[in-house]
Amino acid sequence: MAKAARGTVSAAVTALLTGTALAGLSACTAGGGESAGPLAEAARDLAASPVPTAAEPLPEKLTGQRLSWGECPEVGEGPLGGVLEPMPDGSEWECATMKAPLDYSSPDGRTIDIALVRAPTKAADDKRVGSLVFNFGGPGGSGVRTLPASGATYASLHTRYDLVSFDPRGVGRSSAVKCLDDEELDEYHQKARVPTNAEQVERLFADQQRYNKACEENSGEILPYLTTVYTARDMDLLRQVLGDDKLHYFGISYGTELGGVYAHLFPDRVGRAAFDAVVDPTLPPQESGLGQTKGFQRALENYLEDCDSTEEGCPLGDPAAAQQAIVDLLAKAERDPLPANDPGDRRLTGSLAATGITLALYSKDFWEVLTEGLQDAIDDGDGTLLLRMSDLLNGRSDDGSYDGSQAAQTAISCADTRTRYSPEEARAKAPEFEKASPVFGRYFAWGVAGCHGWPVEGAGDLPDVSAKGADPILVIGNTGDPATPYEGAARMAEALGEDVAVQLIYQGEGHGAYNSGDDCVQRHVDAYLLEGTVPKDGTRCRAS
């Protein structure tokens, strides 16, 4: 699975789902073999080269570039496709392209295009705070597509900020990573199965090695330069080009890790910042994947209890019976994939069914749809709706095209971390995952080897987010968040520093808090971002 989430129920839900990476099977997009060849050498050279510090300015040709804001190009098909709707106050979206160094250790060398989008505020100069830069997570989510789709959610912030987002390097219109083509990706997902013996493990990782090779062949020149540190450097360049003394920032999911890395690199340049759906910066990939497994199991149990609490009862049965029915469904679909109403004659495999269920647990808005999809599959043997839900999480549109977020997520994640778990290590860890979740464990366990054999060596271990001297950063944890479990918010706050982080706790469901529409959360976040009023550390908001 290991991919950023996508949705179509509403623009707000779509933005909410553009979140953290999931550890699982159907997009374990890296496999077999050891890192070798020119890309590995480039990565080693990159790791050994000093990255310019905040005291070492970039060339004026970059910091002094003038952005040519204009009409946005068509955003294509899919859940975020079509015409960009203006903001509620009538402001139109504008797009531009910024030049950034491909390699910050050689800032006078080759550049990369960074695609931007904004909605200028109509506030008077004396009321305008500046630009508020968004990253919606993934890694691999497109800000150029997501911010306009969810702009109404941030209408209150738009009263004093230009709302700005971007496609990070390797994503969307910013030199997107390319691996398999659309037909090959369909085949890849259809073939994915949970391996049960050594031969199947070998086959799984052979398929993933072919994926790796395609990434190297199609995007090899940029793969070594897709680290979060470099994207944070891009954000500081963006701050300068926008004319802001400090970076005002709203990071969601992986965007909180990116924001933490920025705050570590440039603590004196942090303005008003909010981190929502917070990534735990202290966990290695395997422990992070296990935490997500537990988080999605908890969310599934909450969904089943909610379904059972209705007056008519849950059509799937009581929570225990319903969970067993789901386990049985996944096992059946592994053995004999379910037919679906699909133009390409694709079928619902166990892996894709688990992906579809995972998608629905990102937001309560999907729970009713999940019940319908499960009923169709369990009672009627019809995998259509669950297959469509898995498509949303895999970034696949109705026309059969993929948005590239999955490839970008793999490339960025594997560029960041040196950790390379072997298939044997993944297999050894599987029982612990299965104990954590009888539904998701067997699928998520194999995701821990997602960077095995990736053609670029990772840049480091855990991200450094310590930010001594930074202005307050609002850290928002959601107790029911499946993808970035609540415990990570406290660990992020501790890592940022007790004089920096201010925690806001939301007792609710779903991935993230601000986009839930909760009035309490939005009131406190708006008070800080708009007026600079910091809530009391540990303030709690309870979902109504």
Side-chain angles (χ1 to χ4, degrees), residues 258-426:
L258 173 61
V261 170
Y262 180 90
H264 172 71
L265 293 174
F266 310 105
D268 60 327
R269 300 178 188 177
V270 175
R272 299 173 187 174
F275 293 179
D276 191 5
V278 184
V279 170
D280 188 335
T282 70
L283 296 180
Q286 194 171 72
E287 296 308 311
S288 178
L290 184 60
Q292 285 188 325
T293 303
K294 295 175 180 177
F296 278 100
Q297 177 64 26
R298 179 171 56 196
L300 178 68
E301 291 169 359
N302 291 343
Y303 151 70
L304 293 176
E305 289 174 4
D306 181 83
C307 183
D308 192 48
S309 69
T310 59
E311 185 175 341
E312 61 275 15
C314 186
L316 304 172
D318 64 63
Q323 177 168 285
Q324 186 59 51
I326 293 171
V327 171
D328 293 344
L329 168 66
L330 297 180
K332 181 177 184 297
E334 278 287 306
R335 297 189 304 270
D336 185 17
L338 275 61
N341 183 14
D342 179 73
D345 294 325
R346 294 178 304 143
R347 299 172 71 88
L348 181 73
T349 66
S351 175
L352 290 172
T355 303
I357 296 168
T358 300
L359 175 280
L361 298 177
Y362 269 81
S363 171
K364 288 187 72 173
D365 289 356
F366 275 113
W367 285 7
E368 185 176 344
V369 181
L370 175 57
T371 301
E372 182 181 349
L374 288 171
Q375 280 187 277
D376 288 349
I378 294 170
D379 296 340
D380 303 325
D382 181 0
T384 302
L385 188 50
L386 285 181
L387 179 62
R388 178 61 185 128
M389 292 163 71
S390 75
D391 285 346
L392 301 182
L393 196 54
N394 284 329
R396 187 186 191 275
S397 297
D398 290 337
D399 64 359
S401 63
Y402 287 81
D403 64 10
S405 58
Q406 183 187 67
Q409 185 270 338
T410 300
I412 295 167
S413 298
C414 297
D416 272 347
T417 179
R418 293 192 187 101
T419 304
R420 298 291 188 260
Y421 297 113
S422 68
E424 292 75 22
E425 288 173 308

Side-chain angles (χ1 to χ4, degrees), residues 18-22 135-139 228 249 251-261 275-285 288-289 292 413 416 462-463 465 475-478 481 483-496 511-512:
T18 310
T20 194
L22 305 179
N135 180 278
F136 293 93
T228 297
Y249 181 74
I252 301 166
S253 197
Y254 161 80
T256 66
E257 180 179 324
L258 173 61
V261 170
F275 293 179
D276 191 5
V278 184
V279 170
D280 188 335
T282 70
L283 296 180
S288 178
Q292 285 188 325
S413 298
D416 272 347
L462 298 175
V465 300
V475 178
I476 311 160
N478 178 1
D481 195 317
T484 50
Y486 166 69
E487 296 80 6
R491 294 177 186 141
M492 172 67 83
E494 182 179 3
L496 288 169
H511 186 42

Side-chain angles (χ1 to χ4, degrees), residues 26 29 178-192 207-208 210-215 217-218 346 396 400-402 406:
S26 67
T29 48
K178 294 180 176 62
C179 297
L180 301 177
D181 64 28
D182 296 334
E183 291 184 1
E184 290 170 332
L185 278 170
D186 275 349
E187 180 183 6
Y188 183 78
H189 289 302
Q190 286 286 292
K191 289 174 64 178
D207 288 341
Q208 294 178 200
R210 284 190 284 274
Y211 185 100
N212 286 356
K213 185 175 181 181
C215 298
E217 290 175 349
N218 294 319
R346 294 178 304 143
R396 187 186 191 275
S401 63
Y402 287 81
Q406 183 187 67

Side-chain angles (χ1 to χ4, degrees), residues 83-93 119 148 151-152 158:
V83 178
L84 299 183
E85 294 294 332
M87 288 292 293
D89 68 356
S91 298
E92 298 288 343
W93 294 96
H158 188 234

